[in-house]
DNA sequence: GCTCGGACTGAACGAACGGTCGGTCAAGAG
DNA sequence: CTCTTGACCGACCGTTCGTTCAGTCCGAGC
């Protein structure tokens, strides 16, 4: 907060980015055990610190959740910000948003996973949920534009299509693993191909 | 368990199916708050009973979870049991399993929702997860048969397709509401149409 | 009328929870 | 060397957790 008046501009005392490392471990445990089932002592054990040490860096358990959720929400919002208002046919913009979402989801997998499990028990969670819903609404509008332009089939309910598209992308957190057998690019391409043309061979 | 030796075949003492009603309320609260975040006092308040009254009917919190998960897993297993080994082209059997799953998911929405949120913290949860994985494997085999038969496009990774198909169906628990604006049959049809042919108009 | 047993209660239990606090330690500045 | 400061520790706090238990209530059977 208040840098010492003289020199020392950028080199902290002991370890540099301990909060970043801390958060990585914490989020991993939150996902494994579930946020509510994770005790501060679980986190202390997993990080190799004591409870007190964690409290020295953050205000509490909910603060840790808040930091993690912000990270996920910010990354997702950025995708929409740069793609949804772009040019091109609606269906192409839609594809770009989906591809961007998949990329964010893969790059920030643990954080987005945590975000998708939040149920709104506390104010922190409700805020994150509201920002997710905003994302949802904007993507929904994009789907409707694509239908209106005749670029997406009109025989399906647009709201159902939006939800299913979301389900497709978000399901990644349930099974995609960075060290698994599928490369991120292949998964992204397969997902987009599935969403656009389905499983059946084109005749 | 042990009916009285004389008459009275079917009429219990006080209320008839209190455990069934109890479970309905309990599962609703489990989903709202999350299993771990739900206290037995929360359940007592929601059911209009005291904590002790609940303990008179079940062994504990985990027992309630176990009862709920069994219900969901049994219903899903039944679908595979009656459809996966049936006759017809693989892709048709696949479609029947998907339709059956959607129907179960809609009919037993809260129970399946709970099942899909389980993370394996306890033995009860791990058992349910294992039965889910078994379901997954059998559906995966069906997808591969359909690909081998040329009824599903072969340019996508079969395992990815299986996961995405699962994601599509399971996403229902995230947004489908029985009292909402979508009828179950419409959602089922839209989902199958989406899965088979995708969003893009066939041209 | 008495007994039986299932439904239910209120108070309490030990354990575990999230969080606090006073103090220690080591390194950089003067 | 002394002082300051941020990192960290271990003991402890009040609260809430899941669970237990001795006892009450009441309809049905004899």
């Amino acid at each position: 907060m208040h840098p010492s008046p003289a020199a020392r501009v950028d080199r902290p005392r002991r370890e540099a980015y301990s909060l970043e490392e801390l958060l990585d471990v914490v989020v991993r445990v939150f996902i494994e055990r579930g946020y509510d089932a994770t005790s501060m002592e679980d986190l202390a054990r997993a990080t190799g610190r004591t409870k007190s040490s964690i409290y020295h860096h953050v205000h509490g358990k909910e603060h840790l959740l808040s930091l993690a959720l912000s990270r996920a929400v910010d990354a997702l919002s950025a995708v929409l910000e740069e793609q949804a208002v772009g040019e091109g046919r609606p269906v192409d913009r839609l594809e770009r948003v989906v591809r961007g979402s998949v990329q964010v989801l893969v790059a920030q997998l643990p954080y987005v996973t945590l975000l998708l499990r939040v149920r709104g028990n506390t104010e922190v969670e409700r805020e994150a949920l509201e920002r997710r819903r905003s994302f949802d609404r904007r993507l929904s509008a994009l789907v409707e534009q694509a239908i209106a332009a005749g670029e997406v089939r009109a025989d399906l309910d647009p709201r159902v299509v939006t939800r299913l598209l979301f389900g497709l992308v978000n399901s990644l957190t349930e099974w995609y693993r960075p060290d698994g057998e599928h490369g991120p690019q292949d998964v992204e391409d397969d997902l987009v191909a599935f969403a656009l043309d389905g499983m059946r061979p084109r005749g």
Side-chain angles (χ1 to χ4, degrees), chain A:
Chain A
M1 288 303 168
H2 44 81
S4 65
R8 180 162 66 83
V9 278
D10 220 10
R11 204 139 33 95
R13 211 67 81 85
R14 292 248 173 87
E15 302 157 41
Y17 306 112
S18 58
L19 198 148
E20 199 74 2
E21 301 168 21
L22 176 70
L23 204 56
D24 275 350
V25 177
V26 162
V27 168
R28 209 192 62 225
V29 179
F30 277 170
I31 290 170
E32 253 175 44
R33 292 245 229 280
Y35 172 74
D36 289 299
T38 303
S39 73
M40 290 301 282
E41 267 177 19
D42 288 335
L43 297 180
R45 217 173 298 120
T47 55
R49 288 169 161 78
T50 59
K51 278 201 298 174
S52 315
S53 168
I54 297 179
Y55 275 97
H56 181 72
H57 295 283
V58 297
H59 299 131
K61 191 180 170 186
E62 201 174 346
H63 186 208
L64 284 167
L65 180 63
S66 170
L67 289 172
L69 293 182
S70 294
R71 192 159 157 162
V73 167
D74 289 347
L76 283 174
S77 297
V79 170
L80 257 181
E81 221 62 54
E82 70 186 31
Q83 293 294 357
V85 294
E87 62 256 9
R89 298 156 64 214
V91 73
D92 292 331
R93 281 190 283 151
L94 189 57
E95 179 177 334
R96 284 205 303 271
V97 171
V98 169
R99 286 188 183 274
S101 299
V102 171
Q103 284 159 17
V104 164
L105 218 134
V106 165
Q108 309 283 340
L109 192 61
Y111 295 88
V112 178
T113 300
L114 196 60
L115 174 65
L116 294 181
R117 298 214 184 141
V118 147
R119 296 298 149 193
N121 282 346
T122 66
E123 195 51 40
V124 165
E125 301 187 19
R126 278 188 289 273
E127 268 178 43
L129 276 181
E130 184 44 50
R131 292 187 64 186
R132 255 188 72 192
R133 262 185 240 113
S134 152
F135 186 92
D136 181 302
R137 279 191 295 268
R138 296 183 62 183
L139 195 137
S140 185
L142 214 46
V143 169
E144 281 173 30
Q145 286 175 41
I147 291 179
E151 298 157 1
V152 163
R153 51 197 289 195
D155 60 326
L156 306 181
D157 187 313
R159 290 160 303 184
V160 174
V161 169
T162 305
R163 304 290 199 169
L164 291 176
L165 192 54
F166 254 100
L168 221 47
V169 175
N170 292 344
S171 77
L172 284 178
T173 62
E174 299 285 334
W175 58 271
Y176 181 78
R177 296 294 171 263
D179 54 352
E181 44 199 345
H182 310 294
Q185 189 62 56
D186 292 338
V187 168
E188 180 187 322
D189 291 339
D190 281 10
L191 189 147
V192 169
F194 186 106
L196 288 176
D197 295 321
M199 305 166 59
R200 189 136 54 190
R202 288 257 163 174

